[in-house]
């Protein structure tokens, strides 16, 4: 019970830690993918947003001549705005990626401790927590029983003392 309590397990923790571990162990690839996507979509010369922007400009001029182009132009304007927003999000992701190498090591150690506990108790975190709760209740019950037993011993000792005093009084 103490070992389980010491780890302070949370339901679903293994899955959360495994996902974070995977993210941290592939940090370089994730950062690179976000940065490359931002560049291709928005930053570099000839980016998708630059090309689409030229297409939108051209169609907006054509729209002055033919109003039936209104819906396709609006759709492309929305697509351009979406591409630019997405590029910004991906760039922010790449620049703000938090990847402390010490965190990865700490996660690995925690996952190892959880796996050892899961093997020892032949179950997952949820079943271990259920067992810990049951053990805590049983321990509380045993402590309560021990206290009750101690009170009964004390009462017995007092009764023996009184009986001894009564016997002594009667014997005189």
């Amino acid at each position: 019970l103490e070992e389980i309590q010491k780890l302070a397990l949370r339901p679903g923790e293994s899955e959360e830690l495994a996902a974070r571990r995977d993210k941290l162990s592939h940090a370089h690839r994730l950062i690179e993918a976000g940065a490359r996507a931002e560049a291709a979509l928005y930053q570099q010369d000839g980016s998708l947003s630059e090309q689409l922007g030229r297409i939108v400009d051209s169609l907006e001029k054509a729209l002055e001549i033919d109003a039936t182009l209104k819906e396709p132009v609006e759709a492309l304007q929305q697509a351009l705005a979406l591409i630019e927003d997405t590029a910004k999000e991906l760039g922010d992701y790449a620049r703000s990626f938090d990847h402390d190498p010490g965190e990865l090591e700490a996660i690995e150690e925690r996952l190892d401790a959880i796996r050892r506990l899961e093997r020892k108790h032949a179950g997952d975190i949820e079943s271990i927590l259920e067992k810990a709760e049951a053990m805590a209740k049983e321990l509380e019950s045993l402590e309560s029983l021990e206290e009750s037993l101690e009170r009964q011993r004390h009462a017995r000792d007092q009764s023996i003392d009184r009986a001894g005093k009564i016997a002594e009084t009667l014997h005189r």
Side-chain angles (χ1 to χ4, degrees):
L1 179 61
E2 187 177 315
E3 180 183 25
I4 296 169
Q5 290 172 332
K6 183 180 177 186
L7 272 181
L9 300 171
R10 292 178 287 110
E13 183 177 7
S14 288
E15 294 79 11
E16 291 172 19
L17 289 171
R20 181 70 178 153
R21 178 200 57 211
D22 293 345
K23 186 175 178 180
L24 290 172
S25 64
H26 297 97
H28 180 72
R29 285 178 39 200
L30 293 170
I31 292 168
E32 186 177 310
R36 281 186 179 177
E38 179 189 31
L41 292 172
Y42 187 75
Q43 286 184 332
Q44 68 190 22
D45 288 339
S47 69
L48 184 57
S49 64
E50 185 180 305
Q51 292 175 34
L52 189 53
R54 284 194 298 267
I55 292 168
V56 168
D57 287 344
S58 174
L59 287 173
E60 284 174 340
K61 290 175 185 165
L63 180 61
E64 294 171 4
I65 300 167
D66 185 357
T68 61
L69 292 172
K70 182 179 180 182
E71 285 186 30
V73 168
E74 287 176 351
L76 289 172
Q77 288 169 332
Q78 290 174 358
L80 179 58
L82 183 61
I83 288 170
E84 289 173 350
D85 289 347
T86 302
K88 182 181 182 328
E89 283 181 43
L90 290 167
D92 290 346
Y93 171 83
R95 285 183 291 280
S96 67
F97 194 93
D98 182 23
H99 63 290
D100 173 19
E103 182 184 3
L104 180 59
E105 186 177 328
I107 287 172
E108 290 289 358
E109 289 173 6
R110 177 110 177 126
L111 281 170
D112 286 344
I114 290 170
R115 280 189 218 108
R116 281 192 304 274
L117 201 60
E118 287 174 336
R119 278 192 304 272
K120 180 177 181 178
H121 292 278
D124 59 6
I125 287 180
E126 286 74 15
S127 66
I128 292 171
L129 290 172
E130 288 173 11
K131 285 179 185 179
E133 185 178 337
M135 286 189 281
K137 285 180 182 177
E138 186 176 340
L139 182 59
E140 186 179 314
S141 175
L142 289 172
E143 288 171 350
S144 176
L145 185 61
E146 190 174 312
E147 289 171 8
S148 176
L149 185 58
E150 188 58 39
R151 284 192 302 271
Q152 289 174 2
R153 284 183 185 141
H154 183 67
R156 179 201 65 200
D157 292 346
Q158 286 179 337
S159 294
I160 290 172
D161 284 348
R162 277 195 304 267
K165 289 177 184 175
I166 293 171
E168 189 177 305
T169 302
L170 288 175
H171 185 21
R172 288 189 223 167

